[in-house]
């Protein structure tokens, strides 16, 4: 399971950055989101599974979720969030040097979803690629990569996190279906005097826990077949809820002290600061979810 931590602050003082000699901090220059129009309440789930609003709220804290329209795809959600982030930072598509898109629900198997966003934005021949399989940690991992790219040569990177999980999940599996929804978020990362600086980030993966959350069918190990589709395995989210929650609550043994220390060091330099921490991977689970939901 991937884990990430990130610390940010509002950059007002000039901070020397390695690699490019740029006096401005590397951080968030624009933010955007996209939420599909349809809002699904907990009461609506009673049409599909044996549940109630009280049961869901008690176990997850979730009251509503967004559901993408039949005509919307992953690239549509990503594009809307990307445009909002560009507008927020007063950027044009031509100002972007790279696109990183984190998703577990791609537009198609091949090519990357980022390629569809690239051509629809009209940004030209720049690096565009997906990060997949990291769940909730994917967006923060993408921010970490974008920060390193900006530190290397001062480029502006468009980072997008998008999931259209309602197309992937089994709507009759009460253990998982009430947890998920559809949405997209985006950020422009790069150097700038007003950037919300990404001070430090750490990341790590525990591959030994790969079996506690995922969709097993559809890859090369368990290929898609007519029989497996008829069994609904292509939409069966395997989730050991209690173990996911426990692992998500554990600190990143090696990374957190280092990242937190860096955040404390830079936070003490003065000026208006804002600190935030990225949470470890806990895909689909709210803070009150101790799952499995039974």
């Amino acid at each position: 399971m991937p884990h990430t931590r990130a610390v940010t602050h509002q950059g007002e003082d000039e901070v020397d950055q390695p690699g490019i000699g740029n006096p401005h901090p590397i951080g968030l220059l624009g933010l955007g989101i996209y939420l599909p129009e349809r809002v699904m309440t907990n009461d609506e789930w009673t049409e599909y599974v044996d549940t109630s609003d009280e049961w869901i709220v008690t176990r997850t804290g979730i009251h509503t979720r967004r559901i993408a329209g039949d005509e919307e795809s992953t690239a549509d959600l990503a594009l809307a969030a990307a445009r909002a982030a560009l507008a927020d930072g007063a950027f044009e598509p031509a100002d972007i040097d790279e696109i990183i898109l984190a998703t577990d629900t791609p537009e198609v198997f091949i090519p990357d979803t980022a390629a569809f966003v690239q051509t629809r934005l009209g940004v030209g021949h720049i690096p565009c690629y997906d990060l997949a399989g990291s769940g909730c940690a994917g967006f923060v991992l993408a921010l970490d990569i974008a920060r390193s790219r900006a530190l290397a040569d001062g480029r502006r990177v468009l980072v997008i996190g998008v999931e259209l999980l309602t197309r992937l999940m089994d709507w009759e599996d009460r253990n998982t279906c009430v947890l998920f929804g559809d949405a997209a978020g985006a950020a422009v990362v790069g150097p700038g005097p007003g950037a919300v600086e990404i001070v430090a980030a750490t990341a790590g993966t525990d591959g030994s826990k790969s079996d506690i959350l995922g969709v097993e069918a559809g890859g090369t190990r368990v290929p898609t077949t007519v029989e497996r589709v008829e069994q609904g395995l292509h939409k069966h989210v395997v989730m050991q809820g209690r173990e996911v929650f426990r692992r998500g609550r554990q600190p990143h043994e090696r990374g957190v002290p280092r990242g937190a220390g860096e955040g404390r060091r830079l936070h003490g330099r003065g000026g208006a600061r804002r600190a935030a921490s990225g949470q470890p991977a806990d895909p689909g689970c709210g803070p009150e979810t101790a799952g499995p939901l039974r």
Side-chain angles (χ1 to χ4, degrees):
M1 291 184 64
H3 297 258
T4 56
R5 296 289 193 280
V7 181
T8 68
H9 72 63
Q10 179 69 40
E12 290 191 349
D13 300 338
E14 291 189 347
V15 180
D16 292 332
Q17 298 293 339
I20 62 173
N22 194 310
H24 300 308
I26 303 294
L28 308 179
L29 301 172
L31 295 172
I33 63 170
Y34 175 73
L35 299 175
E37 183 177 349
R38 180 187 172 191
V39 178
M40 183 177 184
T41 66
N42 289 339
D43 288 332
E44 292 181 66
W45 275 117
T46 61
E47 301 175 15
Y48 302 92
V49 294
D50 179 17
T51 190
S52 67
D53 176 71
E54 180 183 7
W55 188 89
I56 297 172
V57 172
T58 299
R59 289 162 176 80
T60 71
I62 298 171
H63 292 268
T64 62
R65 73 280 300 142
R66 298 297 179 112
I67 308 294
D70 292 339
E71 74 287 354
E72 291 182 309
S73 67
T74 298
D76 294 324
L77 275 59
L79 181 66
R83 286 174 170 162
L86 292 174
D88 183 58
F91 294 114
E92 296 295 331
D95 297 322
I96 299 301
D97 302 304
E98 189 165 333
I99 298 175
I100 309 173
L101 189 147
T103 188
D104 290 335
T105 55
E107 184 82 354
V108 295
F109 208 17
I110 301 172
D112 285 352
T113 302
F116 295 94
V117 176
Q118 175 201 34
T119 189
R120 292 173 66 179
L121 276 179
V123 295
H125 294 174
I126 62 173
C128 300
Y129 49 93
D130 289 1
L131 296 180
S134 297
C136 294
F139 185 76
V140 183
L141 285 169
L143 286 178
D144 189 15
I145 294 171
R147 173 178 177 267
S148 68
R149 300 286 275 176
L151 282 169
D153 59 13
R155 68 180 57 198
R156 293 193 189 100
V157 183
L158 175 61
V159 176
I160 305 168
V162 55
E163 299 294 357
L164 209 162
L165 283 161
T166 60
R167 303 265 175 88
L168 179 70
M169 69 188 189
D170 180 354
W171 282 55
E172 296 181 351
D173 181 1
R174 189 178 70 159
N175 283 345
T176 58
C177 67
V178 300
L179 296 172
F180 302 122
D182 307 324
V188 179
V189 177
V196 179
E197 185 181 9
I198 304 174
V199 179
T202 62
T205 297
D206 183 357
S208 69
K209 300 299 180 181
S210 299
D211 60 338
I212 68 175
L213 179 61
V215 177
E216 297 180 347
T220 58
R221 185 168 66 175
V222 186
T224 301
T225 63
V226 173
E227 181 181 9
R228 288 173 179 144
V229 171
E230 290 175 346
Q231 294 173 348
L233 296 182
H234 65 302
K235 290 189 175 183
H236 178 56
V237 179
V238 176
M239 180 175 177
Q240 300 177 27
R242 293 188 186 278
E243 181 66 9
V244 170
F245 181 75
R246 187 181 72 82
R247 295 294 300 180
R249 299 278 291 186
Q250 288 180 345
H252 191 323
E253 289 96 352
R254 295 191 302 171
V256 168
R258 182 171 66 251
E262 180 73 1
R264 284 194 297 270
R265 181 178 68 82
L266 292 179
H267 191 270
R269 291 183 175 178
R273 303 285 202 276
R274 180 170 66 86
S277 294
Q279 295 300 312
D282 186 11
C285 295
E288 302 301 323
T289 304
L293 306 180
R294 295 175 180 169

